Amino acid sequence: YPQATMTLLLLLSVLGLAAGGKLLVVPVDGSHWLSMREVLDGLRQKGHEIVVVAPEASLHIKPTKNFVMKTYPVPFTQEEVDEHFRAFSQDVFKEGSLLERFMRRLQRLKKSAAMFLSSCTQLLYNKELVRYLEESKFDAVFTDPILPCGQILAEHLSVPSVFFLQQIPCGLEFEGTQCPNPPSYVPRLFTAYTDRMNFFQRVKNLIFDLLNYFLCDLIFEPYSKLASEFLRRDVMVLHLLRQASIWLMKLDFVLHYPRPLMPNMILVSGVNCAYKNLTQ
């Protein structure tokens, strides 16, 4: 998908028109990082200066020649990270009823949330690293909002943010962009429904939407507390998400069901796919 890659690079290249911009990257580990890394490689070729902040123990986030990497200590080991992601990937392929799959993934998400929250806390309260970020005068923050740590930093540094994501587990990308999200034809995560549902499926889809609010509180409420303490004012995660300038969505209606979009939601599906020229 070279067209999607070029579109994304063009959008992000406005960070510096006459000269390369200075970009702070706050990534999320795992597969989220793999697609983001491809974008960073392209931005570096365009002349942008990139600084990535990451925990010392991570699955995929490793230094390369295309960016400066700043690490910070975390209270878990590399072995614990590897085991967590291995178990998480195995859970994805386990079968069961809708409720069984939801509860199993809920338990796994709770463990993930605790690990990522700990990592975010260590980053925000690392005085030496935060001082370096303050003095670096970044033009923007590039982050994955599935975890709002990057946006908390963007608020602290008073710089615009660009989000790079596929979706947020409980659908906060809809509320964050004030985008319509009718349960009558937008299937909820884990339901395996399509955009064509009968009456009972729509009712079930609506009920599942209520469960998503519980999931949101479980995952994101601790970040509201953390952000409020760090920024020294009352902050909700939803407020943080609404500050983003651009939402780069790794979606495509060829592969995903139709859904409403807002003007600052830009589809860049394919940017994370390897491609090569095919013979005739």
Side-chain angles (χ1 to χ4, degrees):
Y1 297 87
Q3 296 90 345
T5 303
M6 292 304 299
T7 300
L8 179 56
L9 294 179
L10 179 62
L11 288 168
L12 290 175
S13 292
V14 299
L15 291 172
L17 297 178
K22 197 168 186 179
L23 188 66
L24 171 61
V25 180
V26 186
V28 173
D29 203 1
S31 60
H32 297 259
W33 164 250
L34 299 180
S35 55
M36 181 176 280
R37 185 182 60 193
E38 295 292 326
V39 176
L40 299 183
D41 291 343
L43 288 173
R44 184 67 186 91
Q45 294 175 9
K46 294 288 184 179
H48 298 289
E49 182 180 349
I50 300 169
V51 175
V52 176
V53 292
E56 290 179 345
S58 64
L59 184 66
H60 293 306
I61 307 175
K62 308 299 179 185
T64 77
K65 63 180 181 180
N66 287 329
F67 55 78
V68 175
M69 185 166 173
K70 296 291 184 179
T71 61
Y72 53 91
V74 287
F76 45 82
T77 65
Q78 183 64 52
E79 290 73 20
E80 290 173 323
V81 172
D82 294 341
E83 172 58 25
H84 173 76
F85 278 98
R86 184 194 63 79
F88 191 92
S89 61
Q90 289 179 344
D91 280 348
V92 173
F93 298 100
K94 290 182 179 179
E95 298 182 353
S97 67
L98 178 63
L99 181 59
E100 288 173 339
R101 287 184 288 119
F102 176 82
M103 294 305 298
R104 186 167 57 242
R105 293 179 187 182
L106 177 62
Q107 293 302 316
R108 185 60 61 184
L109 281 173
K110 288 173 65 176
K111 294 181 180 179
S112 298
M115 178 177 289
F116 286 126
L117 178 64
S118 174
S119 177
C120 182
T121 303
Q122 295 298 315
L123 167 59
L124 297 179
Y125 286 99
N126 188 314
K127 294 183 179 180
E128 182 179 351
L129 179 55
V130 171
R131 187 181 306 112
Y132 164 81
L133 300 179
E134 293 169 344
E135 295 172 351
S136 296
K137 306 299 181 183
F138 291 100
D139 296 305
V141 171
F142 187 45
T143 187
D144 187 329
I146 193 171
L147 297 174
C149 202
Q151 184 56 31
I152 296 174
L153 270 179
E155 287 285 297
H156 177 71
L157 300 174
S158 299
V159 296
S161 55
V162 177
F163 287 170
F164 184 68
L165 73 156
Q166 183 174 33
Q167 60 186 357
I168 300 177
C170 52
L172 272 186
E173 70 269 25
F174 290 97
E175 293 190 59
T177 55
Q178 301 185 47
C179 180
N181 186 27
S184 56
Y185 76 92
V186 179
R188 295 328 189 221
L189 191 63
F190 304 139
T191 61
Y193 291 152
T194 71
D195 58 326
R196 297 180 181 272
M197 294 175 277
N198 60 37
F199 174 76
F200 293 104
Q201 288 174 330
R202 290 178 180 180
V203 171
K204 196 172 181 179
N205 199 47
L206 179 61
I207 294 174
F208 213 78
D209 212 18
L210 300 177
L211 295 176
N212 275 336
Y213 284 106
F214 169 73
L215 186 62
C216 271
D217 286 340
L218 174 69
I219 297 176
F220 293 110
E221 183 57 32
Y223 286 95
S224 295
K225 181 179 179 181
L226 176 61
S228 298
E229 293 174 350
F230 180 71
L231 299 174
R232 298 181 181 179
R233 54 186 170 87
D234 290 336
V235 178
M236 300 296 292
V237 167
L238 187 57
H239 168 79
L240 292 172
L241 296 179
R242 286 178 176 170
Q243 306 310 306
S245 299
I246 300 175
W247 294 63
L248 300 176
M249 312 291 296
K250 293 181 287 184
L251 300 173
D252 194 301
F253 291 151
V254 173
L255 301 174
H256 300 87
Y257 298 113
R259 48 176 276 189
L261 295 173
M262 298 301 279
N264 64 336
M265 300 172 75
I266 302 171
L267 301 185
V268 293
S269 177
V271 69
N272 55 325
C273 298
Y275 62 89
K276 61 181 179 179
N277 294 328
L278 300 177
T279 59
Q280 294 294 330

